[in-house]
Amino acid sequence: MTSTDPDWWRGAVIYQVYPRSFQDSDGDGIGDLRGVTARLDHIASLGVDAIWVSPFFKSPMADMGYDVSDYRDVDPMFGTIADFDALLAGAHARGMKVIIDQVLSHSSDQHAWFRESRRDRTNPKADWYVWADPKPDGTAPNNWLSIFGGPAWEWDGTRMQYYMHSFLASQPDFNFHNPEVCDALLDIMRFWLDRGVDGFRLDACNHYFHDAALRDNPPAPRAAGHDVPDTNPYGFQEHLYDKTQPENLPFLQRIRALLDEYPGSVAVGEVGDGDRSPATVGLYTGGGDKLHFCYTFDLFGSDFAPAMFRTTVEKFDEATRDGWVCWALSNHDVPRHATRFARKGDDPARIARMALAILIALRGAICLYQGEELALPEAEIAFEDLRDPYGIRFWPAFKGRDGCRTPMPWTDGEHGGFSTATPWLPVPPEHRARAVEVQEADRRSVLHFYREALAFRRNSRALQSGDLDFIETDEDFLAFTRRHGREQLLCLYNFSREPRDWPLPADFVTAFVERCSAPGITTNRKTIRMPALGWAFLRRL
């Protein structure tokens, strides 16, 4: 049975399933909902609290399901509503909650609402999307840019106006300034809550409202952080007016009020807001009347260093006094962290173990992306095999997102046991060598370490919800304590590629927690000897 604790989400571990790449049940080369249901035992064996299922709604698949044409139905590619209900029941029977993606900032241009909206300027849904007249010279209404490249405006020759799209031109943005739009989208969420889902991952939730005056964005300071690589001109602007508007807060409060009608249901928002992300997360999760927690891009870089982790955590701690963060190292939009964090000569399995040892010790919820429990590296995809419109647009400077979306390898056989047909993306040989079946047979594998580490977190109130305090140390070490009541843990990480000694605080025992600490650690009364890329958890006397 699933937890009845309304605060279950605070220290939760969430497992992201990308259905297209998880398991194919019908031999068409594409994963589906029945495939996910068939593999629920694997997810449950990790000891997670919930699964987040990426979009499975009806869609022309221009952006792999993040362009929804019917929010209340399952795309035939993935199965049927009955298949979703079976997945939901199967997860609940195994004690796991189910969170589904809600892509509310935009729809597909094939959605019935947009087809009606573009017909003329007087129809009942004429104002459901962001339409604007051209400038006198015929150019776009302002300088806003699409994340997927080029202007955020597309000319429509039927209405003789431009419409706004923050992503692909086939993903028009809703006009949240229209109350009818907000009501309709909340009704969609109620539909899924009534079916029994336990919450929502809100895609691009700071993109809901735009500046009603359509003011131009200013140039971005070149030293500022950006949501996307500098190969994309989107990063050249400071996005003051096309997203993260103050009108968003009352709508988030309406979402929370809806969820409060369904005790235990939650909303986790995706926030990509550059340097403003901590402040935005603080606004969106503060006060207990908006989102429960937020998911950010701040650990999705390639910097695997103590200063990065400490600086990031401290920024969010300062900005989210009574809010909550969901930490993640990988997802369906970024290269896998076993590759991102590794230097030349590093063992991806070692990187994966150490990264998880950090993740389980952070204050907040945590999210795992399918395949990271196998230490899968980023797949190299040939240009002719690309499916991601983002990758195709920016190739070769940016290779897109297909490298992290390849099918889950279950066996070392043909297609990794994912499908009996040729998969929609290839399964690399190095992934098949790390397949679930292979790692199940090896007690020293990353898969078994994931189970042990998540059990360690689950059995520790300090790691789930305790206070976190950093300890000053040198640049090669990350050290902090987690404290809840009488339980106090010292979490210590050596980022050096050489063994290092670290002085032990007098009030911590010299015996480390062997089950989750790295092998090769030795201690005496005064120091702990840490192996290269090593970690240790120590209990206070």
Side-chain angles (χ1 to χ4, degrees):
M1 296 292 292
T2 56
S3 171
T4 57
D5 179 2
D7 287 333
W8 66 267
W9 49 274
R10 289 192 178 273
V13 179
I14 303 167
Y15 185 92
Q16 182 192 355
V17 173
Y18 193 69
R20 177 185 283 263
S21 293
F22 203 61
Q23 177 68 67
D24 173 20
S25 73
D26 58 8
D28 65 356
I30 297 171
D32 46 51
L33 295 179
R34 287 189 179 185
V36 177
T37 302
R39 297 293 188 179
L40 285 174
D41 284 342
H42 168 76
I43 303 173
S45 76
L46 299 173
V48 304
D49 301 287
I51 61 173
W52 149 27
V53 187
S54 292
F56 51 83
F57 315 107
K58 277 191 174 178
S59 166
M61 300 293 162
D63 189 23
M64 304 303 163
Y66 283 88
D67 50 321
V68 179
S69 59
D70 187 342
Y71 287 91
R72 287 183 168 88
D73 204 357
V74 173
D75 193 276
M77 173 187 296
F78 297 122
T80 65
I81 281 281
D83 292 332
F84 176 77
D85 289 342
L87 189 163
L88 188 65
H92 286 168
R94 291 165 175 82
M96 297 183 295
K97 296 184 182 291
V98 177
I99 294 170
I100 64 172
D101 247 305
Q102 288 289 270
V103 189
L104 304 182
S105 70
H106 58 270
S107 75
S108 165
D109 62 357
Q110 301 303 305
H111 197 291
W113 295 345
F114 186 72
R115 288 179 171 177
E116 182 175 357
S117 186
R118 77 190 314 176
R119 192 175 63 209
D120 54 50
R121 302 189 189 190
T122 59
N123 68 78
K125 292 184 172 55
D127 195 36
W128 278 44
Y129 293 83
V130 183
W131 293 96
D133 291 326
K135 291 180 179 178
D137 62 359
T139 56
N142 61 25
N143 72 343
W144 295 351
L145 295 173
S146 162
I147 291 174
F148 282 7
W153 298 96
E154 182 75 3
W155 176 252
D156 184 80
T158 301
R159 277 189 55 144
M160 299 295 288
Q161 284 184 304
Y162 284 94
Y163 67 84
M164 179 185 172
H165 59 93
S166 295
F167 300 92
L168 293 175
S170 58
Q171 294 171 296
D173 282 23
F174 281 118
N175 177 20
F176 281 79
H177 293 286
N178 183 337
E180 292 180 352
V181 171
C182 297
D183 291 345
L185 295 174
L186 290 168
D187 283 345
I188 289 166
M189 298 176 75
R190 185 180 293 278
F191 171 85
W192 291 105
L193 289 166
D194 285 341
R195 294 203 82 85
V197 303
D198 302 290
F200 304 101
R201 181 263 190 185
L202 301 175
D203 183 70
C205 73
N206 58 316
H207 281 264
Y208 294 162
F209 281 84
H210 66 286
D211 174 49
L214 303 182
R215 286 173 285 184
D216 282 349
N217 283 327
R222 295 307 301 140
H226 307 302
D227 293 337
V228 292
D230 280 343
T231 53
N232 186 339
Y234 184 84
F236 297 171
Q237 290 186 355
E238 188 172 3
H239 293 274
L240 294 184
Y241 300 116
D242 54 344
K243 63 181 182 180
T244 321
Q245 299 304 293
E247 296 95 330
N248 215 25
L249 296 176
F251 181 67
L252 299 182
Q253 289 172 325
R254 292 190 64 190
I255 290 177
R256 181 59 172 264
L258 171 62
L259 292 168
D260 286 346
E261 297 178 31
Y262 299 80
S265 61
V266 300
V268 51
E270 179 197 41
V271 172
D273 210 15
D275 286 346
R276 296 183 297 169
S277 287
T280 302
V281 169
L283 283 173
Y284 286 8
T285 62
D289 62 345
K290 295 177 281 294
L291 303 183
H292 295 79
F293 50 127
C294 278
Y295 178 103
T296 82
F297 296 79
D298 292 78
L299 297 182
F300 288 169
S302 59
D303 185 11
F304 190 58
M308 183 278 291
F309 282 100
R310 177 169 181 171
T311 299
T312 301
V313 170
E314 287 181 331
K315 284 181 180 178
F316 279 92
D317 277 351
E318 182 178 354
T320 57
R321 294 295 185 183
D322 63 340
W324 208 253
V325 178
C326 183
W327 299 106
L329 302 174
S330 286
N331 75 357
H332 64 291
D333 281 335
V334 296
R336 290 185 174 276
H337 68 266
T339 295
R340 262 189 5 254
F341 289 157
R343 297 180 192 169
K344 185 177 180 179
D346 283 344
D347 176 8
R350 186 72 169 193
I351 294 292
R353 286 185 173 92
M354 183 170 175
L356 180 66
I358 298 169
L359 191 66
I360 64 166
L362 297 182
R363 182 177 182 272
I366 64 175
C367 190
L368 313 176
Y369 177 52
Q370 65 181 52
E372 73 171 78
E373 73 271 27
L374 308 176
L376 295 185
E378 182 77 355
E380 287 290 334
I381 306 296
F383 179 78
E384 57 269 23
D385 290 329
L386 289 182
R387 300 294 190 91
D388 178 19
Y390 192 15
I392 293 169
R393 176 69 184 268
F394 289 104
W395 180 277
F398 178 65
K399 297 182 179 180
R401 302 167 294 178
D402 287 328
C404 65
R405 297 177 175 184
T406 54
M408 184 80 169
W410 299 100
T411 73
D412 61 357
E414 187 178 23
H415 309 316
F418 165 74
S419 177
T420 57
T422 301
W424 74 284
L425 283 174
V427 182
E430 60 269 26
H431 284 198
R432 297 199 302 272
R434 294 175 169 86
V436 172
E437 183 180 80
V438 174
Q439 296 202 30
E440 285 284 11
D442 181 3
R443 292 294 305 176
R444 299 169 299 174
S445 70
V446 174
L447 174 58
H448 284 287
F449 177 75
Y450 260 69
R451 290 173 180 149
E452 292 170 359
L454 296 180
F456 181 54
R457 176 184 169 93
R458 185 169 59 252
N459 293 325
S460 169
R461 293 294 300 275
L463 293 183
Q464 285 188 321
S465 57
D467 293 335
L468 186 153
D469 295 292
F470 285 101
I471 297 172
E472 294 297 332
T473 186
D474 70 43
E475 63 182 11
D476 286 333
F477 280 93
L478 177 69
F480 54 86
T481 58
R482 297 299 309 276
R483 302 169 186 264
H484 186 280
R486 298 186 66 179
E487 182 189 9
Q488 299 188 30
L489 289 174
L490 170 62
C491 308
L492 182 63
Y493 309 88
N494 174 25
F495 284 75
S496 171
R497 271 60 177 181
E498 300 291 337
R500 292 286 307 277
D501 291 333
W502 197 78
L504 280 172
D507 55 349
F508 279 86
V509 295
T510 57
F512 55 89
V513 181
E514 294 186 12
R515 188 173 182 184
C516 199
S517 296
I521 294 173
T522 59
T523 63
N524 57 38
R525 291 185 177 182
K526 295 184 178 180
T527 62
I528 180 169
R529 181 73 167 174
M530 300 285 290
L533 294 174
W535 63 94
F537 298 95
L538 299 97
R539 296 191 186 278
R540 191 175 185 184
L541 286 169

